[in-house]
Amino acid sequence: MRVSEPESSIADAVAEKVGMTVLVRGRNHRAFLPGALRGALDALQALEEKGSPAEILVLDDASLDGSQKLLRSVQALYDETRLKTLCLGESVGAAKLLEMGIEAATFRYVCVMDADHEPVAENLPLLLQSVVDTGAVMAYGNLVEVEDGAVAGIRSNMPAVPGLKKTRRIDAFYVLDASKAPVLEAATEADPDGPEGWNMALRLLSGGELVVFVPVVAGYHRKHSMSAGEKLRFSDDGSTSRRTDGERLGGIPSARTYHPDVGFLDE
Amino acid sequence: MRRANELGYSYEHVRANDKLLIVYPQAGSAFYETLGRRLVTSCEEKSRDATLCSAAEVCELEDGSLDDTVVAVIAPAQCRHGLPDRDKFFRTISGARGRIMVLAESVETEWFENQFKVPLDFDALIDLGFVFQQEKLKGFETPYHFLFNAPTREERQTIERASVTGRRIPWATVGHERRDRVQLAHDLLTGFDPSGFVFLPPAGVMIKKENGMIGPEGLHALLTKTEYYVWESLHEYDYYESFRFREALLAGAMPCKVDRRKDWRSTGIPGIFPSVEAFAESAQREGFETILDSAKEFYFSQGLLADRLEEVLESV
């Protein structure tokens, strides 16, 4: 069911502010925070050079590894109004962090990433342009996996095709149109199985919304023991429920492939 | 190539006035149909009677209808897929006056070997590409003929007219996912320009528009906005993907192969680099238009596909 007009007051507020909030979520990712923040700050500059105002919003989910101390230091050091940090005392989980982030975002478009991601700054404007051009609710690009400093693989590397197992590898690095907040809330309340990006794309596609894959390298994913992969992120009970492989989802359209300099490539 | 019959008399397999039926696999990549159309066009330019037909359409032909026809089958192993009547297909092709296999692939791959596991005897193999491969074929009995993948007359005109301006995408790499290709994308991003186009879906995913995949039209649209079309081979063998070269030039992009193992300089093919660093250094030193001009010059110097094909058919 397509939402033609935003319903929540939050959506009304953000709908008018075209720009991007880079939302960084983390829990016990201290080792990766510097890279994530550096990438986010570079992305800020790249977006502003393209004429899009931007901010960084870091949400820490009650980390116990010194992440919060680092974030407070960074906030103090930068004294940067475009950098906001929120450190929670109790863990709420990735889905709730997403909800909080969208609510707190200044801008209409939110780039969601985790602290073990590093954006390719030059390409975030392309993702933003893709959602603006197409009216998509979600856009994502390739994520190159890095392990011990070496290229280890690639994720989020094709349009999501409901029911096609090989396309499930869509990680939690994507751009959302927060003016569609009710749609997103419905999506985040849905079945948590599978990688977050895949789950989000699937729920949006099931609701008739447009999701686009933008064939650029959107960022890097630092592989480590805490990487969610196919696991439920930040799960306190350790559950790792998994979506049924090969589950057929007939009648649900796939995501589209789009690049701002070419248009839709799958026509 | 002439062969002797049981009585010792030599005869031609393909006569100038022979009907030629070019068969392509309808399932799988659109590349095969495109190749078929190019071969038909080339035959027509030389006033040869040639017709294009899908493998499925062959099943609709009457028995004996190919008695006076030489059939050129593109990728026969792929022709098997999706057929309404596989036995009818092979029976009909077997009844042709002559059979030629047409391939555009490395002769060292399992894919190539599989082409000869179909229940058909072929009188000749036409290897379409940029580099002669016969010396790699050990104990191979089917007569080998190399066909340089030259442009058709129309393609040459298209390449000459292609605009070099308005290309905002610095480089593009497209193909199935493979670790080397991910490394290539990373190296291009960090060593040349971060805003390249990367489309590396998992191996085995079918190219279907309903899957959001990029088909021939999408690839062409992409390459009209791109400067450098960069790739590494999907396999480990020494092979030059001439179809990528052609696709790039038709859209006004520069084809660039990165091959970290083999030295290709003796072939004279422009745009092959031992590393991304070498590619980046060349691109920055010479510039896009100069490098592209070298590729056009090389391609045009090879003549036209019609002339090349006629030479091959006269020798088959």
Side-chain angles (χ1 to χ4, degrees):
Chain A
M1 180 174 67
R2 201 172 182 90
V3 176
S4 57
E5 295 205 4
E7 294 175 7
S8 71
S9 58
I10 295 166
D12 286 331
V14 301
E16 296 306 313
K17 297 183 187 291
V18 178
M20 182 179 276
T21 295
V22 179
L23 172 62
V24 182
R25 301 174 304 179
R27 184 181 181 201
N28 295 331
H29 281 122
R30 193 211 176 288
F32 302 98
L33 267 177
L37 291 175
R38 186 172 50 243
L41 285 166
D42 288 343
L44 227 63
Q45 184 176 350
L47 287 161
E48 290 172 350
E49 284 175 0
K50 296 286 185 182
S52 298
E55 66 176 0
I56 300 170
L57 178 57
V58 184
L59 299 184
D60 183 270
D61 195 27
S63 294
L64 300 174
D65 65 348
S67 291
Q68 297 197 355
K69 183 177 178 182
L70 173 64
L71 286 171
R72 283 192 285 270
S73 298
V74 169
Q75 183 83 82
L77 181 66
Y78 276 92
D79 191 23
E80 170 63 77
T81 56
R82 297 171 303 162
L83 169 63
K84 301 171 190 170
T85 59
L86 177 61
C87 299
L88 302 182
E90 287 185 11
S91 175
V92 299
K96 185 64 179 175
L97 285 182
L98 175 61
E99 188 183 316
M100 292 172 64
I102 291 174
E103 191 168 323
T106 302
F107 298 109
R108 173 175 177 173
Y109 299 98
V110 180
C111 175
V112 181
M113 55 178 278
D114 291 335
D116 52 359
H117 293 133
E118 279 184 36
V120 175
E122 293 85 348
N123 293 335
L124 242 56
L126 291 171
L127 262 66
L128 174 59
Q129 192 63 49
S130 295
V131 286
V132 171
D133 286 351
T134 63
V137 180
M138 174 185 179
Y140 63 94
N142 294 281
L143 276 185
V144 173
E145 294 183 312
V146 175
E147 188 168 22
D148 297 328
V151 171
I154 193 167
R155 295 177 71 87
S156 306
N157 56 323
M158 72 165 283
V161 179
L164 189 58
K165 179 181 169 185
K166 287 182 177 179
T167 72
R168 287 182 75 223
R169 302 183 302 170
I170 300 173
D171 213 351
F173 188 125
Y174 46 83
V175 174
L176 294 176
D177 182 349
S179 72
K180 307 274 178 71
V183 171
L184 296 170
E185 284 164 14
T188 55
E189 289 168 358
D191 182 359
D193 284 348
E196 179 183 314
W198 160 258
N199 185 39
M200 176 68 77
L202 188 60
R203 291 297 160 180
L204 290 170
L205 291 169
S206 301
E209 299 295 338
L210 178 61
V211 175
V212 293
F213 167 65
V214 185
V216 296
V217 177
Y220 287 87
H221 173 228
R222 305 286 169 185
K223 289 183 74 174
H224 55 97
S225 59
M226 272 288 290
S227 291
E230 299 295 297
K231 298 180 182 178
L232 183 64
R233 283 183 173 275
F234 309 140
S235 170
D236 288 333
D237 61 8
S239 65
T240 56
S241 55
R242 189 182 286 267
R243 190 173 201 85
T244 302
D245 286 348
E247 179 178 326
R248 295 306 300 171
L249 296 165
I252 301 174
S254 303
R256 304 279 310 271
T257 298
Y258 181 85
H259 189 288
D261 294 323
V262 186
F264 284 106
L265 287 115
D266 50 9
E267 293 179 326
Chain B
M1 181 174 175
R2 295 176 182 275
R3 296 178 63 184
N5 63 13
E6 295 85 341
L7 299 179
Y9 294 110
S10 66
Y11 59 96
E12 293 176 73
H13 273 268
V14 182
R15 299 179 294 240
N17 59 348
D18 268 334
K19 291 180 190 175
L20 191 62
L21 178 68
I22 297 173
V23 178
Y24 69 94
Q26 72 285 341
S29 172
F31 162 79
Y32 299 120
E33 182 177 357
T34 299
L35 172 54
R37 292 194 184 283
R38 297 177 70 226
L39 294 176
V40 167
T41 299
S42 298
C43 287
E44 290 171 347
E45 288 180 15
K46 290 297 184 182
S47 302
R48 275 195 181 266
D49 180 356
T51 309
L52 184 68
C53 179
S54 72
E57 289 169 331
V58 168
C59 298
E60 299 168 7
L61 298 175
E62 291 181 6
D63 288 347
S65 60
L66 299 182
D67 289 352
D68 61 347
T69 301
V70 174
V71 176
V73 183
I74 299 171
Q78 273 57 48
C79 286
R80 285 184 299 195
H81 300 304
L83 287 178
D85 186 341
R86 196 175 281 188
D87 289 339
K88 174 73 190 300
F89 172 78
F90 290 120
R91 191 168 65 245
T92 304
I93 300 292
S94 295
R97 197 180 79 72
R99 285 157 300 283
I100 302 171
M101 184 187 299
V102 180
L103 297 177
E105 176 60 294
S106 165
V107 300
E108 297 177 280
T109 61
E110 189 176 331
W111 190 95
F112 176 83
E113 287 179 18
N114 288 341
Q115 303 303 321
F116 298 89
K117 295 179 180 175
V118 298
L120 287 172
D121 292 325
F122 286 95
D123 303 302
L125 164 68
I126 292 180
D127 173 22
L128 179 78
F130 275 11
V131 181
F132 195 74
Q133 300 190 89
Q134 188 173 20
E135 71 277 3
K136 298 178 186 175
L137 293 169
K138 302 289 187 286
F140 188 71
E141 296 181 350
T142 307
Y144 172 93
H145 299 269
F146 174 64
L147 172 60
F148 192 92
N149 194 2
T152 65
R153 192 177 306 278
E154 185 179 347
E155 287 169 352
R156 176 170 178 143
Q157 292 167 354
T158 298
I159 292 168
E160 286 170 339
R161 286 194 306 261
S163 171
V164 298
T165 59
R167 292 173 184 270
R168 295 167 56 89
I169 299 174
W171 53 270
T173 192
V174 176
H176 280 116
E177 177 189 341
R178 189 184 138 95
R179 182 67 63 85
D180 291 352
R181 289 175 167 177
V182 179
Q183 184 70 52
L184 174 68
H186 167 75
D187 291 345
L188 287 165
L189 186 155
T190 55
F192 186 59
D193 192 302
S195 296
F197 184 103
V198 177
F199 193 78
L200 299 174
V205 175
M206 291 289 289
I207 308 296
K208 293 182 184 178
K209 289 178 183 177
E210 56 266 35
N211 285 350
M213 299 294 277
I214 300 174
E217 298 87 358
L219 178 63
H220 182 76
L222 162 66
L223 294 180
T224 62
K225 305 293 184 187
T226 302
E227 289 193 334
Y228 300 98
Y229 183 35
V230 190
W231 75 92
E232 283 199 56
S233 282
L234 186 60
H235 50 67
E236 303 291 337
Y237 304 105
D238 298 336
Y239 183 74
Y240 186 85
E241 293 79 2
S242 65
F243 51 92
R244 287 188 184 260
F245 184 100
R246 173 185 160 273
E247 285 163 351
L249 284 197
L250 283 173
M254 175 61 199
C256 296
K257 177 179 170 81
V258 174
D259 190 329
R260 305 171 203 262
R261 295 173 298 107
K262 178 180 167 65
D263 185 342
W264 288 86
R265 282 176 291 183
S266 62
T267 65
I269 303 172
I272 305 180
F273 303 94
S275 65
V276 168
E277 291 78 10
F279 156 72
E281 191 272 334
S282 179
Q284 282 152 11
R285 184 182 71 246
E286 297 181 65
F288 168 64
E289 291 188 37
T290 299
I291 299 180
L292 180 64
D293 283 343
S294 71
K296 290 181 186 176
E297 186 180 330
F298 166 79
Y299 202 36
F300 293 159
S301 72
Q302 307 301 324
L304 296 176
L305 185 62
D307 296 324
R308 293 282 196 147
L309 178 60
E310 185 64 17
E311 288 171 10
V312 169
L313 290 177
E314 286 177 350
S315 66
V316 168

